Amino acid sequence: MTQNTKSMHITAVGENVFADLGFSPKEAAALQAKSKRIISEKLAIKESLMAELSSWIDEKKLKQHDAAIILGITRPRVSDVVHKKTVKFTIDSLVDMLARTGKRVELAIR
């Protein structure tokens, strides 16, 4: 049994994948806008959590190695946090790291 794993179509950067999936132009635009808004909100949450972790590291005057031990991650991962490389972390992992610092994360929904 052979599977065809070759891509038949690739949506170009900046194009609308929803239009490529066959949605009407109006619906595709709405879905794309909603998707971008959700992604933007998640990135903002990650950036906020990372800023809090960076501030904690600065306040404690920790070297990245020492912060890594406390946070339960590797030293390069601390660098990723400090440089806000959001794609490398889940919100859950950032909340866990903050818990290791003794901080609590509270959620507010509007």
Side-chain angles (χ1 to χ4, degrees), residues 1 12 32 39 43 46 51 58 70 74 86 97 99 106-107 109:
M1 179 167 106
Q32 184 181 41
I39 291 168
L43 287 175
K46 286 182 181 184
D58 289 343
I70 295 167
T74 63
T86 56
M97 283 183 247
E106 294 182 8
L107 177 65
I109 301 172

Side-chain angles (χ1 to χ4, degrees), residues 82-99:
V82 170
H83 292 99
K84 293 187 178 62
K85 295 185 179 179
T86 56
V87 297
K88 295 189 173 197
F89 298 92
T90 63
I91 292 170
D92 187 55
S93 67
L94 294 167
V95 169
D96 182 60
M97 283 183 247
L98 282 163

Side-chain angles (χ1 to χ4, degrees), residues 60-86:
K60 299 292 183 183
K61 296 181 180 12
L62 295 171
K63 295 186 184 294
Q64 287 188 359
H65 171 78
D66 298 324
I69 292 168
I70 295 167
L71 298 174
I73 58 176
T74 63
R75 203 250 0 118
R77 297 285 283 166
V78 173
S79 178
D80 292 338
V81 167
V82 170
H83 292 99
K84 293 187 178 62
K85 295 185 179 179
T86 56

Side-chain angles (χ1 to χ4, degrees), residues 17-18 29-41:
V17 69
F18 299 105
L31 288 167
Q32 184 181 41
K34 182 178 180 181
S35 177
K36 285 182 177 182
R37 187 173 52 254
I38 290 168
I39 291 168
S40 177
E41 289 171 0

